[in-house]
Amino acid sequence: MIMKKHSLSKKLFIRAMKSIPGGVNSPVRAFRAVGGNPLFIDRAKGSRIFDADGNSYIDYVLSWGPMILGHAHPRVVSAIKKAAEKGTSYGAPTALEVELAELVLKVYPSMDKVRMVNSGTEATMSAIRAARGFTGRDKAVKFEGCYHGHADGLLVRAGSGATTFGVPDSPGVPKSYAQNTITLPFNDIPALKRLMEKEWKKIACVIIEPVVGNIGCVLPKPGFLETLRKLTKKYGVVLIFDEVMTGFRVSFGGAQAYYGIKPDLTCLGIVIGGGLPVGAYGGKKEIMAMVSPEGPVYQAGTLSGNPLAMTAGIETIRELSRPGVYRTIEQRSAMLENGLRDAAKKAGVKTRFYRAGSMFCTYFTDADVTDYASAKKADTGKFGRFFSGMLERGVNLAPSQYEAGFMSLSHSERDIESTVKAAYETIKNI
Ligand code: KE4
């Protein structure tokens, strides 16, 4: 195997570290969990990304989920170009925001109203604020390993980069903030029941990733989400589904459609911006009526509903709503799952592979992964060697055992065959 050249990425990284903390604008990109220097990307098209040195990779990060159609989709790119010629931001309402809002409400019938923001973090922190304003209660419940963005109160036992870097309880978050966040083990119904029976009067909301994509890919046990819905309804606690990652990913209607659970509020992001910065939160009209200027709960954003981002989101969702799109993505995802399982088995290496729709994760462990504690038992050293071996063989995976991988409509069967071949060659030498 000819080792790839990364000299330009290396030069850029050295330069970047002089002006940007850690040389990156988001920690997980720094390759700290897998070793080596991060790739600096020059361009992308379809299923592939190309780094500064011209190396090409089949990409399963897809910008952490948004590029579900594949990179630089012609319809999305030309629509953004046209929108840009009309100006890039007005700070005033536009028809585009109404169009995207109506599209989202059509696909997510649990949502009566939706507010656009600029990131998943803004979506979740605003949803929690609306729930607190609606109930008059202070506490928010989250699950260990779930990552809902970096708002202070949510960096408690958080997943994603917070777990990768061993700061699930980040310094800089005052104890008083963290005191209003209660964490539970994911999939632990008895713990959930005990907490709700004892503390419901203080609990404004429960926020959950219905499929936990920020410790890899952890599925809800049968009955867990249903029990959560029953208990939150019983005690008047607002149930927030953080579908920033699972929305349009686990199915067109997200995890709520996939599992048949109707949350009170939903947070979206990633796919609904088509790669441009968009987050959204919405749900029951009586809760959303609390949000300013309709109600007293303040939330704002200079670039919220930005015309370019709205255009990218509208075109992406229109493409996704075409017949057969999710069938194709499902077929490709299942083909990859079967291939990766076979590769590990043939190589005689114990792994666990989990998938929900077109998000997935390979854990290097020989025990089931059902929550944060069991995910933490995975062999991150082995994962690091897997990641590097795959990169050298032209496959780009998320640079951490505690992240999910994603499939796009543009991944061909040939891409998947090459990925599986690379996986077997990598795993057998691990
Ligand atoms: P942003 O604020 O990064 O747009 O979204 C935060 C967020 C909220 N909720 C869920 C379920 C999420 O997955 C995320 C962001 N996900 C990570 C990937 N694990 C973003 C990658 C990064 O931090 O660079």
Side-chain angles (χ1 to χ4, degrees):
M1 180 178 63
I2 308 150
M3 296 306 274
K4 293 182 184 297
K5 216 172 53 63
H6 298 302
S7 49
L8 283 181
S9 274
K10 190 153 189 266
K11 274 201 196 101
L12 281 165
F13 188 43
I14 293 166
R15 214 174 109 202
M17 283 202 278
K18 296 192 182 90
S19 53
I20 304 170
V24 291
N25 282 312
S26 198
V28 280
R29 303 176 188 171
F31 277 25
R32 289 279 177 93
V34 292
N37 297 321
L39 297 182
F40 277 62
I41 302 306
D42 172 59
R43 63 189 174 88
K45 181 73 183 157
S47 62
R48 285 183 175 272
I49 53 167
F50 302 83
D51 68 16
D53 294 279
N55 301 304
S56 111
Y57 308 86
I58 302 168
D59 182 26
Y60 291 97
V61 179
L62 296 174
S63 179
W64 305 95
M67 312 324 296
I68 191 166
L69 294 175
H71 289 287
H73 187 282
R75 175 172 170 177
V76 177
V77 171
S78 64
I80 294 171
K81 280 180 182 169
K82 273 203 204 82
E85 277 153 17
K86 294 171 71 181
T88 53
S89 180
Y90 319 119
T94 64
L96 290 166
E97 294 158 81
V98 183
E99 207 172 321
L100 184 56
E102 289 170 349
L103 265 178
V104 167
L105 298 185
K106 212 163 112 207
V107 183
Y108 290 80
S110 69
M111 297 168 82
D112 301 326
K113 286 206 173 167
V114 63
R115 166 64 61 86
M116 298 294 163
V117 293
N118 300 284
S119 69
T121 295
E122 279 187 78
T124 58
M125 73 182 204
S126 309
I128 291 172
R129 189 179 307 139
R132 286 173 165 150
F134 179 69
T135 59
R137 304 175 189 171
D138 289 342
K139 303 273 184 203
V141 178
K142 74 176 286 291
F143 293 87
E144 290 164 6
C146 287
Y147 176 72
H148 303 291
H150 61 89
D152 280 342
L154 287 168
L155 279 179
V156 179
R157 309 286 286 156
S160 184
T163 288
T164 299
F165 292 92
V167 280
D169 305 289
S170 170
V173 176
K175 287 240 171 328
S176 55
Y177 280 57
Q179 271 153 10
N180 274 322
T181 306
I182 304 169
T183 56
L184 288 174
F186 188 78
N187 273 327
D188 186 338
I189 291 181
L192 174 66
K193 279 190 174 145
R194 280 195 301 275
L195 175 76
M196 294 300 275
E197 277 148 20
K198 188 160 166 279
E199 302 287 351
W200 67 270
K201 287 197 184 92
K202 299 180 204 146
I203 300 173
C205 59
V206 176
I207 184 165
I208 189 167
E209 286 184 66
V211 174
V212 189
N214 287 290
I215 39 178
C217 183
V218 177
L219 308 179
K221 281 183 182 160
F224 177 60
L225 295 176
E226 293 77 0
T227 307
L228 179 60
R229 177 63 289 183
K230 218 166 63 224
L231 288 169
T232 45
K233 212 182 273 299
K234 178 178 174 187
Y235 293 113
V237 171
V238 175
L239 176 57
I240 304 174
F241 265 21
D242 176 354
E243 296 227 44
V244 166
M245 190 186 285
T246 54
F248 294 99
R249 174 58 65 186
V250 160
S251 81
F252 189 43
Q256 52 195 270
Y258 192 78
Y259 292 105
I261 304 275
K262 200 172 172 193
D264 302 310
L265 293 179
T266 298
C267 300
L268 294 168
I270 292 190
V271 169
I272 62 166
L276 271 65
V278 178
Y281 69 103
K284 283 183 165 167
K285 54 181 171 304
E286 55 273 29
I287 303 175
M288 294 306 285
M290 296 299 293
V291 178
S292 177
E294 197 171 321
V297 174
Y298 196 68
Q299 180 270 311
T302 307
L303 296 174
S304 298
N306 172 275
L308 302 195
M310 295 296 103
T311 299
I314 291 164
E315 295 307 324
T316 299
I317 296 175
R318 279 195 186 141
E319 271 303 300
L320 289 172
S321 53
R322 288 153 71 102
V325 163
Y326 277 84
R327 195 175 49 252
T328 306
I329 297 177
E330 172 55 29
Q331 280 162 354
R332 297 285 192 292
S333 306
M335 182 182 170
L336 182 68
E337 172 174 0
N338 298 333
L340 292 181
R341 283 179 188 279
D342 291 349
K345 205 160 154 223
K346 230 167 70 185
V349 172
K350 289 258 179 272
T351 60
R352 285 286 193 284
F353 184 97
Y354 296 95
R355 175 170 75 88
S358 58
M359 63 187 271
F360 49 83
C361 179
T362 296
Y363 290 98
F364 285 84
T365 178
D366 58 357
D368 290 345
V369 178
T370 58
D371 57 13
Y372 184 72
S374 47
K376 289 288 282 172
K377 290 195 182 114
D379 183 333
T380 50
K382 248 187 195 162
F383 177 84
R385 294 191 292 278
F386 177 60
F387 170 84
S388 308
M390 291 294 270
L391 202 62
E392 274 312 312
R393 293 177 174 83
V395 178
N396 184 47
L397 302 174
S400 163
Q401 172 71 90
Y402 305 118
E403 295 291 352
F406 304 102
M407 181 59 73
S408 91
L409 183 62
S410 65
H411 281 70
S412 66
E413 292 197 358
R414 233 172 97 76
D415 287 331
I416 294 161
E417 283 155 7
S418 315
T419 305
V420 169
K421 186 165 171 291
Y424 174 64
E425 281 161 20
T426 305
I427 293 182
K428 74 173 193 235
N429 299 315
I430 221 161

